[in-house]
Coordinates of all heavy atoms in Angstrom, one line a residue:
M114 N 0.8 -1.2 0.0 CA 0.0 0.0 0.0 C 0.9 1.2 0.0 O 1.9 1.3 0.7 CB -0.9 0.0 1.2 CG -1.9 -1.1 1.2 SD -3.0 -1.1 2.6 CE -4.0 0.3 2.3
S115 N 0.5 2.1 -0.8 CA 1.3 3.3 -0.9 C 0.9 4.3 0.2 O -0.3 4.5 0.5 CB 1.1 4.0 -2.3 OG -0.2 4.3 -2.4
A116 N 1.9 4.9 0.7 CA 1.6 5.9 1.8 C 1.0 7.1 1.2 O 1.6 7.7 0.3 CB 2.8 6.2 2.6
V117 N -0.1 7.5 1.6 CA -0.8 8.7 1.1 C -0.3 9.8 1.9 O -0.4 9.8 3.2 CB -2.3 8.5 1.1 CG1 -2.9 9.8 0.6 CG2 -2.7 7.3 0.3
A118 N 0.1 10.8 1.2 CA 0.6 12.0 2.0 C -0.6 12.6 2.7 O -1.6 12.9 2.1 CB 1.2 13.0 1.0
A119 N -0.4 12.8 4.0 CA -1.4 13.4 4.8 C -1.6 14.8 4.4 O -0.7 15.6 4.7 CB -1.2 13.2 6.2
R120 N -2.7 15.1 3.8 CA -2.9 16.5 3.5 C -3.9 17.1 4.5 O -4.9 16.5 4.8 CB -3.5 16.6 2.1 CG -2.5 16.2 1.0 CD -3.1 16.3 -0.3 NE -3.8 17.6 -0.6 CZ -4.6 17.9 -1.6 NH1 -4.9 16.9 -2.4 NH2 -5.1 19.0 -1.8
K121 N -3.5 18.2 5.0 CA -4.4 18.9 5.9 C -5.4 19.7 5.1 O -5.0 20.7 4.5 CB -3.6 19.7 6.9 CG -2.9 18.9 7.9 CD -2.2 19.8 9.0 CE -1.5 19.0 10.0 NZ -0.9 19.9 11.1
T122 N -6.6 19.2 5.1 CA -7.6 20.0 4.5 C -8.3 20.9 5.5 O -9.0 20.3 6.4 CB -8.6 19.1 3.7 OG1 -9.1 18.2 4.7 CG2 -7.9 18.4 2.6
P123 N -8.1 22.1 5.4 CA -8.8 23.0 6.4 C -10.3 22.9 6.2 O -10.8 23.1 5.1 CB -8.2 24.4 6.1 CG -7.8 24.3 4.7 CD -7.4 22.9 4.4
E124 N -10.9 22.6 7.3 CA -12.4 22.6 7.2 C -12.9 24.0 7.1 O -12.5 24.9 7.7 CB -13.0 22.0 8.5 CG -12.6 20.5 8.6 CD -13.2 19.9 9.9 OE1 -14.1 20.5 10.4 OE2 -12.9 18.8 10.2
P125 N -13.9 24.1 6.2 CA -14.5 25.4 6.0 C -15.2 25.9 7.2 O -16.0 25.2 7.8 CB -15.5 25.2 4.8 CG -15.8 23.7 4.9 CD -14.5 23.1 5.4
V126 N -14.8 27.1 7.6 CA -15.4 27.6 8.8 C -16.8 28.2 8.4 O -16.9 29.1 7.7 CB -14.5 28.8 9.3 CG1 -15.2 29.4 10.6 CG2 -13.1 28.3 9.6
T127 N -17.7 27.5 9.0 CA -19.1 27.9 8.7 C -19.4 29.1 9.6 O -19.3 29.1 10.8 CB -20.1 26.8 9.0 OG1 -19.9 26.3 10.3 CG2 -19.9 25.6 8.0
A128 N -19.9 30.1 8.9 CA -20.2 31.3 9.6 C -21.5 31.1 10.4 O -22.5 31.1 9.8 CB -20.3 32.5 8.7
D129 N -21.3 30.9 11.7 CA -22.5 30.8 12.5 C -22.3 31.7 13.7 O -21.9 31.3 14.8 CB -22.6 29.3 13.0 CG -23.9 29.1 13.7 OD1 -24.8 29.9 13.5 OD2 -24.0 28.1 14.4
P130 N -22.6 32.9 13.5 CA -22.4 33.9 14.6 C -23.3 33.7 15.7 O -24.6 33.7 15.5 CB -22.6 35.3 13.9 CG -23.5 34.9 12.7 CD -23.1 33.5 12.3
E131 N -22.8 33.4 16.8 CA -23.6 33.2 18.0 C -23.9 34.5 18.6 O -23.0 35.2 19.0 CB -22.9 32.2 19.0 CG -23.9 31.7 20.0 CD -23.2 30.7 20.9 OE1 -22.6 29.8 20.2 OE2 -23.2 30.7 22.1
P132 N -25.1 34.9 18.8 CA -25.5 36.2 19.3 C -25.0 36.2 20.8 O -25.2 35.3 21.6 CB -27.0 36.2 19.3 CG -27.4 34.8 19.2 CD -26.3 34.1 18.4
A133 N -24.3 37.3 21.0 CA -23.8 37.5 22.4 C -25.0 37.7 23.4 O -25.9 38.5 23.0 CB -22.9 38.7 22.4
K134 N -24.9 37.1 24.5 CA -26.0 37.2 25.4 C -25.8 38.6 26.2 O -24.7 39.1 26.4 CB -26.0 36.1 26.5 CG -26.4 34.8 25.9 CD -26.5 33.7 27.0 CE -27.0 32.4 26.4 NZ -27.0 31.4 27.5
C135 N -27.0 39.1 26.5 CA -27.0 40.3 27.2 C -26.3 40.1 28.6 O -26.8 39.2 29.3 CB -28.4 40.8 27.3 SG -28.5 42.3 28.4
P136 N -25.4 40.9 29.0 CA -24.7 40.7 30.2 C -25.6 41.1 31.4 O -25.3 40.6 32.6 CB -23.5 41.6 30.2 CG -23.8 42.7 29.2 CD -24.8 42.0 28.2
V137 N -26.6 41.8 31.2 CA -27.4 42.3 32.3 C -28.4 41.2 32.7 O -28.6 40.9 33.9 CB -28.1 43.6 31.9 CG1 -29.1 44.1 33.0 CG2 -27.1 44.7 31.6
C138 N -29.1 40.7 31.7 CA -30.2 39.7 32.0 C -29.7 38.3 31.7 O -30.5 37.4 31.9 CB -31.4 40.0 31.2 SG -31.1 39.9 29.4
K139 N -28.5 38.1 31.3 CA -27.9 36.8 31.0 C -28.7 36.1 29.9 O -28.8 34.9 29.9 CB -28.0 35.9 32.3 CG -27.3 36.5 33.5 CD -25.8 36.6 33.3 CE -25.1 36.9 34.6 NZ -25.5 38.2 35.2
G140 N -29.2 36.9 29.0 CA -29.9 36.3 27.9 C -31.4 36.0 28.1 O -32.0 35.4 27.2
T141 N -31.9 36.3 29.2 CA -33.3 36.0 29.5 C -34.2 37.1 29.0 O -35.4 36.8 28.8 CB -33.5 35.7 31.0 OG1 -33.2 36.9 31.7 CG2 -32.7 34.6 31.5
G142 N -33.7 38.3 28.9 CA -34.5 39.4 28.5 C -35.3 40.0 29.6 O -36.1 40.9 29.4
E143 N -35.2 39.4 30.8 CA -35.9 39.9 31.9 C -34.9 40.1 33.1 O -34.0 39.3 33.3 CB -37.0 38.9 32.4 CG -38.1 38.8 31.3 CD -39.1 37.8 31.8 OE1 -38.8 37.0 32.7 OE2 -40.3 37.8 31.3
V144 N -35.3 41.0 33.9 CA -34.5 41.3 35.1 C -35.4 41.3 36.3 O -36.5 41.9 36.2 CB -33.6 42.6 35.0 CG1 -32.5 42.4 34.0 CG2 -34.5 43.7 34.6
S145 N -35.0 40.8 37.3 CA -35.8 40.8 38.5 C -35.3 41.9 39.4 O -34.1 42.1 39.7 CB -35.7 39.5 39.3 OG -34.4 39.2 39.6
R146 N -36.2 42.7 39.9 CA -35.9 43.8 40.8 C -36.7 43.7 42.0 O -37.9 43.3 42.0 CB -36.1 45.1 40.0 CG -37.5 45.4 39.7 CD -37.6 46.7 38.9 NE -37.6 46.4 37.5 CZ -37.5 47.3 36.5 NH1 -37.3 48.5 36.9 NH2 -37.5 46.9 35.3
T147 N -36.1 44.2 43.1 CA -36.8 44.2 44.3 C -37.8 45.3 44.4 O -37.5 46.4 44.1 CB -35.8 44.2 45.5 OG1 -34.8 43.3 45.3 CG2 -36.5 44.0 46.8
V148 N -39.0 45.0 44.8 CA -40.0 46.0 44.9 C -40.1 46.5 46.3 O -40.2 45.8 47.3 CB -41.4 45.4 44.5 CG1 -42.5 46.5 44.6 CG2 -41.3 44.8 43.1
H149 N -40.0 47.8 46.4 CA -40.1 48.5 47.7 C -41.4 49.3 47.8 O -41.8 50.0 46.9 CB -38.9 49.4 47.9 CG -37.6 48.7 47.9 ND1 -37.0 48.0 49.0 CD2 -36.7 48.5 46.9 CE1 -35.9 47.5 48.7 NE2 -35.6 47.8 47.4
V150 N -42.0 49.2 49.0 CA -43.2 50.0 49.2 C -43.1 50.8 50.5 O -42.4 50.4 51.4 CB -44.5 49.2 49.1 CG1 -44.7 48.5 47.8 CG2 -44.4 48.1 50.2
G151 N -43.9 51.8 50.6 CA -44.0 52.5 51.8 C -42.9 53.5 52.0 O -41.9 53.6 51.2
R152 N -43.0 54.2 53.1 CA -42.0 55.3 53.3 C -40.7 54.7 53.8 O -39.6 55.3 53.6 CB -42.5 56.2 54.5 CG -43.7 57.1 54.0 CD -44.1 58.1 55.1 NE -44.6 57.4 56.2 CZ -44.9 58.0 57.4 NH1 -44.7 59.3 57.5 NH2 -45.4 57.3 58.4
K153 N -40.8 53.5 54.3 CA -39.5 52.8 54.8 C -38.9 51.9 53.7 O -37.9 51.3 53.9 CB -39.8 52.0 56.0 CG -40.1 52.9 57.2 CD -40.2 52.0 58.5 CE -40.5 52.9 59.7 NZ -40.7 52.1 60.9
H154 N -39.6 52.0 52.6 CA -39.1 51.2 51.4 C -38.9 49.7 51.8 O -37.9 49.1 51.7 CB -37.8 51.8 50.9 CG -38.0 53.1 50.2 ND1 -38.6 53.3 49.0 CD2 -37.7 54.3 50.7 CE1 -38.6 54.6 48.7 NE2 -38.1 55.2 49.7
R155 N -40.0 49.2 52.3 CA -40.0 47.8 52.7 C -40.0 46.9 51.5 O -40.8 47.1 50.6 CB -41.2 47.5 53.7 CG -41.2 46.1 54.2 CD -42.2 46.0 55.3 NE -43.5 46.4 54.8 CZ -44.4 45.4 54.4 NH1 -44.1 44.2 54.4 NH2 -45.6 45.8 54.0
A156 N -39.1 46.0 51.5 CA -39.1 45.1 50.3 C -40.2 44.1 50.4 O -40.3 43.4 51.4 CB -37.8 44.3 50.3
V157 N -41.1 44.1 49.4 CA -42.2 43.2 49.5 C -42.1 42.1 48.5 O -43.0 41.2 48.5 CB -43.5 44.0 49.1 CG1 -43.8 45.0 50.2 CG2 -43.4 44.7 47.8
G158 N -41.1 42.0 47.8 CA -40.9 40.9 46.9 C -40.1 41.3 45.6 O -39.6 42.4 45.6
Q159 N -40.2 40.5 44.7 CA -39.4 40.7 43.5 C -40.3 40.8 42.3 O -41.3 40.0 42.2 CB -38.3 39.7 43.3 CG -37.2 39.8 44.4 CD -35.9 39.5 43.7 OE1 -35.7 38.6 43.0 NE2 -34.9 40.3 44.1
Q160 N -40.0 41.7 41.4 CA -40.8 41.8 40.2 C -39.9 41.6 39.0 O -38.8 42.1 39.0 CB -41.4 43.2 40.2 CG -42.5 43.4 39.1 CD -43.0 44.8 39.2 OE1 -42.3 45.8 39.4 NE2 -44.3 44.9 39.0
T161 N -40.5 41.0 38.1 CA -39.7 40.7 36.9 C -40.1 41.8 35.9 O -41.2 42.1 35.6 CB -40.0 39.4 36.3 OG1 -39.8 38.4 37.2 CG2 -39.2 39.1 35.1
G162 N -39.0 42.4 35.4 CA -39.3 43.5 34.4 C -38.4 43.3 33.2 O -37.5 42.5 33.1
L163 N -38.8 44.1 32.2 CA -38.1 44.0 30.9 C -36.7 44.5 31.1 O -36.4 45.5 31.8 CB -38.8 44.8 29.9 CG -38.4 44.6 28.4 CD1 -38.9 43.2 28.0 CD2 -39.0 45.7 27.6
C164 N -35.7 43.8 30.5 CA -34.4 44.2 30.6 C -34.2 45.5 29.7 O -34.5 45.4 28.5 CB -33.4 43.1 30.2 SG -31.7 43.6 30.1
L165 N -33.8 46.5 30.3 CA -33.6 47.8 29.5 C -32.4 47.8 28.7 O -32.2 48.7 27.9 CB -33.7 49.0 30.5 CG -35.0 49.1 31.2 CD1 -34.9 50.3 32.1 CD2 -36.2 49.3 30.2
N166 N -31.5 46.9 29.0 CA -30.2 46.9 28.2 C -30.4 46.3 26.8 O -29.9 46.7 25.8 CB -29.2 46.1 29.0 CG -27.8 46.2 28.4 OD1 -27.4 47.4 28.1 ND2 -27.1 45.1 28.1
C167 N -31.2 45.2 26.8 CA -31.4 44.6 25.5 C -32.9 44.7 25.0 O -33.3 44.1 24.0 CB -31.0 43.1 25.6 SG -32.0 42.2 26.7
L168 N -33.7 45.3 25.8 CA -35.1 45.5 25.5 C -35.8 44.2 25.4 O -36.7 44.1 24.6 CB -35.2 46.4 24.3 CG -34.6 47.8 24.4 CD1 -34.8 48.6 23.1 CD2 -35.3 48.6 25.6
G169 N -35.4 43.3 26.2 CA -36.2 42.0 26.2 C -35.7 41.0 25.2 O -36.3 39.9 25.1
S170 N -34.8 41.3 24.4 CA -34.4 40.4 23.3 C -33.4 39.3 23.9 O -33.3 38.2 23.4 CB -33.7 41.1 22.2 OG -32.5 41.7 22.6
G171 N -32.7 39.6 25.0 CA -31.8 38.7 25.5 C -30.5 38.7 24.9 O -29.6 38.0 25.3
E172 N -30.3 39.4 23.8 CA -29.1 39.5 23.1 C -28.4 40.9 23.4 O -29.1 41.9 23.4 CB -29.3 39.3 21.6 CG -29.9 38.0 21.3 CD -30.2 37.9 19.8 OE1 -29.8 38.8 19.0 OE2 -30.8 36.9 19.3
A173 N -27.1 40.8 23.5 CA -26.4 42.0 23.7 C -26.6 42.9 22.5 O -26.4 42.5 21.3 CB -24.9 41.7 23.9
P174 N -27.0 44.1 22.7 CA -27.2 45.1 21.6 C -26.0 45.3 20.9 O -24.9 45.5 21.4 CB -27.8 46.3 22.3 CG -27.3 46.2 23.7 CD -27.2 44.8 24.0
A175 N -26.1 45.3 19.6 CA -24.9 45.6 18.7 C -24.5 47.0 18.8 O -25.3 47.9 18.9 CB -25.2 45.2 17.3
E176 N -23.2 47.2 18.8 CA -22.7 48.5 18.9 C -23.0 49.3 17.6 O -22.7 48.8 16.6 CB -21.2 48.5 19.2 CG -20.8 47.6 20.4 CD -20.7 48.5 21.6 OE1 -20.6 49.7 21.5 OE2 -20.6 47.9 22.7
Ligands
ZN459 ZN1 -30.8 42.1 28.7

């Protein structure tokens, strides 16, 4: 058997840009914030709100 020269064939890099996750909401598009009420700002719980960094898309906004 003849030795076949090992040729390195570079695999084509498929362009598959993975969208960067929003660092604020970790890609969920939502952020939980503590809700305070009253004059003493007593924490009554957490509320989920729209992430204002990515506007709910979960992806880091492109520059
Ligand atoms: Zn976000």
Side-chain angles (χ1 to χ4, degrees):
M114 296 180 70
S115 61
V117 179
R120 292 177 53 192
K121 287 187 177 180
T122 53
E124 295 184 11
V126 180
T127 54
D129 189 17
E131 193 170 315
K134 288 183 179 180
C135 174
V137 177
C138 62
K139 307 290 191 300
T141 60
E143 294 179 341
V144 287
S145 58
R146 66 185 92 193
T147 308
V148 180
H149 298 277
V150 295
R152 290 184 296 175
K153 292 184 179 179
H154 293 282
R155 184 168 59 96
V157 294
Q159 291 219 315
Q160 187 180 41
T161 304
L163 194 72
C164 176
L165 295 180
N166 189 51
C167 63
L168 299 179
S170 67
E172 298 176 7
E176 305 266 347

